[in-house]
Short mmCIF file of all heavy atoms in Angstrom, two decimals:
data_model
loop_
_atom_site.label_atom_id
_atom_site.label_comp_id
_atom_site.label_asym_id
_atom_site.label_seq_id
_atom_site.Cartn_x
_atom_site.Cartn_y
_atom_site.Cartn_z
N GLN D 82 27.82 -0.65 -33.45
CA GLN D 82 27.01 0.34 -32.77
C GLN D 82 26.47 1.37 -33.75
O GLN D 82 26.91 1.47 -34.90
CB GLN D 82 27.83 1.04 -31.68
CG GLN D 82 28.31 0.10 -30.57
CD GLN D 82 29.08 0.85 -29.51
OE1 GLN D 82 29.04 2.06 -29.42
NE2 GLN D 82 29.81 0.11 -28.69
N ASP D 83 25.53 2.18 -33.25
CA ASP D 83 24.98 3.32 -34.01
C ASP D 83 24.38 2.89 -35.35
O ASP D 83 24.57 3.55 -36.38
CB ASP D 83 26.05 4.39 -34.23
CG ASP D 83 26.60 4.93 -32.92
OD1 ASP D 83 25.81 5.01 -31.97
OD2 ASP D 83 27.80 5.24 -32.87
N GLY D 84 23.69 1.78 -35.38
CA GLY D 84 23.01 1.34 -36.59
C GLY D 84 23.89 0.61 -37.58
O GLY D 84 23.39 0.14 -38.61
N ALA D 85 25.19 0.51 -37.33
CA ALA D 85 26.08 -0.22 -38.23
C ALA D 85 25.93 -1.73 -38.01
O ALA D 85 25.46 -2.18 -36.97
CB ALA D 85 27.52 0.20 -38.02
N GLU D 86 26.33 -2.48 -39.00
CA GLU D 86 26.26 -3.94 -38.92
C GLU D 86 27.67 -4.51 -38.98
O GLU D 86 28.46 -4.15 -39.85
CB GLU D 86 25.42 -4.49 -40.07
CG GLU D 86 25.28 -6.01 -40.02
CD GLU D 86 24.50 -6.55 -41.20
OE1 GLU D 86 24.10 -5.73 -42.06
OE2 GLU D 86 24.32 -7.78 -41.27
N ALA D 87 27.99 -5.39 -38.03
CA ALA D 87 29.29 -6.05 -38.00
C ALA D 87 29.06 -7.55 -37.88
O ALA D 87 28.37 -8.00 -36.96
CB ALA D 87 30.13 -5.54 -36.83
N ARG D 88 29.62 -8.30 -38.81
CA ARG D 88 29.42 -9.75 -38.85
C ARG D 88 30.76 -10.46 -38.86
O ARG D 88 31.73 -9.98 -39.45
CB ARG D 88 28.59 -10.15 -40.07
CG ARG D 88 27.16 -9.63 -40.05
CD ARG D 88 26.33 -10.16 -41.22
NE ARG D 88 26.85 -9.69 -42.50
CZ ARG D 88 27.42 -10.47 -43.41
NH1 ARG D 88 27.60 -11.76 -43.16
NH2 ARG D 88 27.83 -9.98 -44.57
N ILE D 89 30.77 -11.63 -38.22
CA ILE D 89 31.96 -12.48 -38.22
C ILE D 89 31.71 -13.63 -39.18
O ILE D 89 30.68 -14.31 -39.09
CB ILE D 89 32.26 -13.01 -36.80
CG1 ILE D 89 32.53 -11.85 -35.84
CG2 ILE D 89 33.45 -13.96 -36.82
CD1 ILE D 89 32.75 -12.30 -34.40
N ALA D 90 32.64 -13.86 -40.07
CA ALA D 90 32.49 -14.93 -41.07
C ALA D 90 33.78 -15.72 -41.16
O ALA D 90 34.85 -15.26 -40.77
CB ALA D 90 32.12 -14.34 -42.43
N GLY D 91 33.65 -16.93 -41.69
CA GLY D 91 34.82 -17.78 -41.89
C GLY D 91 35.31 -18.45 -40.63
O GLY D 91 36.45 -18.93 -40.58
N LEU D 92 34.48 -18.53 -39.60
CA LEU D 92 34.90 -19.12 -38.34
C LEU D 92 34.88 -20.64 -38.45
O LEU D 92 33.86 -21.24 -38.82
CB LEU D 92 33.97 -18.65 -37.21
CG LEU D 92 34.38 -18.98 -35.79
CD1 LEU D 92 35.69 -18.27 -35.44
CD2 LEU D 92 33.30 -18.57 -34.81
N SER D 93 35.98 -21.28 -38.14
CA SER D 93 36.07 -22.73 -38.25
C SER D 93 35.28 -23.39 -37.12
O SER D 93 35.02 -22.79 -36.07
CB SER D 93 37.53 -23.19 -38.20
OG SER D 93 38.10 -22.90 -36.93
N THR D 94 34.90 -24.62 -37.35
CA THR D 94 34.13 -25.36 -36.34
C THR D 94 34.93 -25.58 -35.07
O THR D 94 34.35 -25.76 -33.99
CB THR D 94 33.68 -26.71 -36.92
OG1 THR D 94 34.84 -27.44 -37.37
CG2 THR D 94 32.73 -26.51 -38.09
N ASP D 95 36.25 -25.58 -35.15
CA ASP D 95 37.08 -25.80 -33.96
C ASP D 95 36.96 -24.64 -32.98
O ASP D 95 37.10 -24.83 -31.76
CB ASP D 95 38.55 -25.99 -34.36
CG ASP D 95 38.77 -27.23 -35.20
OD1 ASP D 95 37.93 -28.16 -35.08
OD2 ASP D 95 39.74 -27.28 -35.98
N TYR D 96 36.74 -23.44 -33.49
CA TYR D 96 36.72 -22.25 -32.63
C TYR D 96 35.33 -21.64 -32.49
O TYR D 96 35.17 -20.64 -31.79
CB TYR D 96 37.67 -21.19 -33.19
CG TYR D 96 39.10 -21.65 -33.32
CD1 TYR D 96 39.81 -21.47 -34.50
CD2 TYR D 96 39.74 -22.29 -32.26
CE1 TYR D 96 41.13 -21.90 -34.64
CE2 TYR D 96 41.06 -22.73 -32.38
CZ TYR D 96 41.74 -22.53 -33.57
OH TYR D 96 43.04 -22.96 -33.68
N ALA D 97 34.34 -22.22 -33.14
CA ALA D 97 32.99 -21.63 -33.10
C ALA D 97 32.42 -21.64 -31.68
O ALA D 97 31.84 -20.66 -31.22
CB ALA D 97 32.06 -22.38 -34.06
N SER D 98 32.58 -22.77 -30.98
CA SER D 98 32.03 -22.85 -29.62
C SER D 98 32.72 -21.88 -28.68
O SER D 98 32.08 -21.29 -27.79
CB SER D 98 32.17 -24.28 -29.08
OG SER D 98 33.54 -24.67 -29.06
N LEU D 99 34.03 -21.65 -28.86
CA LEU D 99 34.76 -20.72 -28.01
C LEU D 99 34.24 -19.29 -28.20
O LEU D 99 34.01 -18.56 -27.24
CB LEU D 99 36.26 -20.79 -28.32
CG LEU D 99 37.17 -19.82 -27.55
CD1 LEU D 99 37.07 -20.05 -26.06
CD2 LEU D 99 38.61 -19.95 -28.04
N VAL D 100 34.04 -18.90 -29.45
CA VAL D 100 33.53 -17.55 -29.72
C VAL D 100 32.10 -17.40 -29.20
O VAL D 100 31.73 -16.34 -28.68
CB VAL D 100 33.62 -17.25 -31.23
CG1 VAL D 100 32.97 -15.90 -31.56
CG2 VAL D 100 35.07 -17.26 -31.69
N ASP D 101 31.30 -18.46 -29.32
CA ASP D 101 29.93 -18.39 -28.79
C ASP D 101 29.92 -18.21 -27.28
O ASP D 101 29.10 -17.46 -26.74
CB ASP D 101 29.16 -19.66 -29.18
CG ASP D 101 28.85 -19.71 -30.66
OD1 ASP D 101 28.86 -18.64 -31.29
OD2 ASP D 101 28.62 -20.82 -31.19
N GLU D 102 30.80 -18.91 -26.58
CA GLU D 102 30.87 -18.76 -25.13
C GLU D 102 31.28 -17.34 -24.74
O GLU D 102 30.74 -16.75 -23.82
CB GLU D 102 31.88 -19.77 -24.55
CG GLU D 102 31.39 -21.21 -24.54
CD GLU D 102 30.25 -21.42 -23.57
OE1 GLU D 102 30.16 -20.69 -22.57
OE2 GLU D 102 29.42 -22.30 -23.85
N VAL D 103 32.27 -16.81 -25.45
CA VAL D 103 32.71 -15.44 -25.17
C VAL D 103 31.60 -14.45 -25.46
O VAL D 103 31.42 -13.47 -24.74
CB VAL D 103 33.97 -15.12 -25.99
CG1 VAL D 103 34.33 -13.64 -25.86
CG2 VAL D 103 35.14 -15.97 -25.52
N ARG D 104 30.81 -14.72 -26.48
CA ARG D 104 29.73 -13.81 -26.86
C ARG D 104 28.67 -13.72 -25.77
O ARG D 104 28.04 -12.68 -25.57
CB ARG D 104 29.11 -14.27 -28.17
CG ARG D 104 27.99 -13.37 -28.69
CD ARG D 104 27.60 -13.79 -30.09
NE ARG D 104 28.72 -13.69 -31.01
CZ ARG D 104 28.69 -14.13 -32.26
NH1 ARG D 104 27.59 -14.70 -32.73
NH2 ARG D 104 29.75 -14.00 -33.04
N GLN D 105 28.46 -14.78 -25.02
CA GLN D 105 27.46 -14.79 -23.97
C GLN D 105 27.91 -14.08 -22.71
O GLN D 105 27.09 -13.80 -21.83
CB GLN D 105 27.08 -16.23 -23.61
CG GLN D 105 26.43 -16.99 -24.76
CD GLN D 105 26.17 -18.44 -24.41
OE1 GLN D 105 26.31 -18.85 -23.26
NE2 GLN D 105 25.80 -19.23 -25.40
N VAL D 106 29.19 -13.78 -22.57
CA VAL D 106 29.71 -13.12 -21.37
C VAL D 106 29.53 -11.62 -21.52
O VAL D 106 30.11 -11.00 -22.40
CB VAL D 106 31.20 -13.45 -21.17
CG1 VAL D 106 31.74 -12.68 -19.96
CG2 VAL D 106 31.39 -14.94 -20.97
N GLY D 107 28.73 -11.05 -20.64
CA GLY D 107 28.54 -9.60 -20.64
C GLY D 107 27.94 -9.06 -21.90
O GLY D 107 28.23 -7.93 -22.28
N ASP D 108 27.10 -9.87 -22.58
CA ASP D 108 26.51 -9.41 -23.83
C ASP D 108 25.27 -8.58 -23.54
O ASP D 108 24.14 -9.00 -23.76
CB ASP D 108 26.14 -10.61 -24.71
CG ASP D 108 25.78 -10.16 -26.12
OD1 ASP D 108 25.96 -8.98 -26.41
OD2 ASP D 108 25.32 -11.01 -26.89
N ASP D 109 25.48 -7.43 -22.95
CA ASP D 109 24.39 -6.54 -22.60
C ASP D 109 24.18 -5.45 -23.63
O ASP D 109 23.49 -4.47 -23.40
CB ASP D 109 24.65 -5.89 -21.23
CG ASP D 109 24.77 -6.94 -20.14
OD1 ASP D 109 24.07 -7.95 -20.25
OD2 ASP D 109 25.55 -6.73 -19.20
N GLY D 110 24.85 -5.58 -24.78
CA GLY D 110 24.71 -4.57 -25.82
C GLY D 110 25.61 -3.39 -25.52
O GLY D 110 26.34 -3.34 -24.54
N PRO D 111 25.61 -2.41 -26.39
CA PRO D 111 26.44 -1.24 -26.19
C PRO D 111 26.02 -0.45 -24.97
O PRO D 111 24.87 -0.53 -24.53
CB PRO D 111 26.20 -0.43 -27.48
CG PRO D 111 24.88 -0.90 -27.99
CD PRO D 111 24.79 -2.33 -27.60
N ALA D 112 26.95 0.27 -24.43
CA ALA D 112 26.67 1.06 -23.24
C ALA D 112 25.60 2.10 -23.55
O ALA D 112 25.64 2.75 -24.60
CB ALA D 112 27.95 1.77 -22.77
#
Side-chain angles (χ1 to χ4, degrees):
Q82 298 181 16
D83 300 326
E86 182 183 1
R88 295 185 296 111
I89 299 176
L92 190 64
S93 65
T94 56
D95 296 335
Y96 302 131
S98 59
L99 177 60
V100 175
D101 289 339
E102 287 292 332
V103 172
R104 182 171 300 173
Q105 297 175 10
V106 177
D108 191 8
D109 300 326

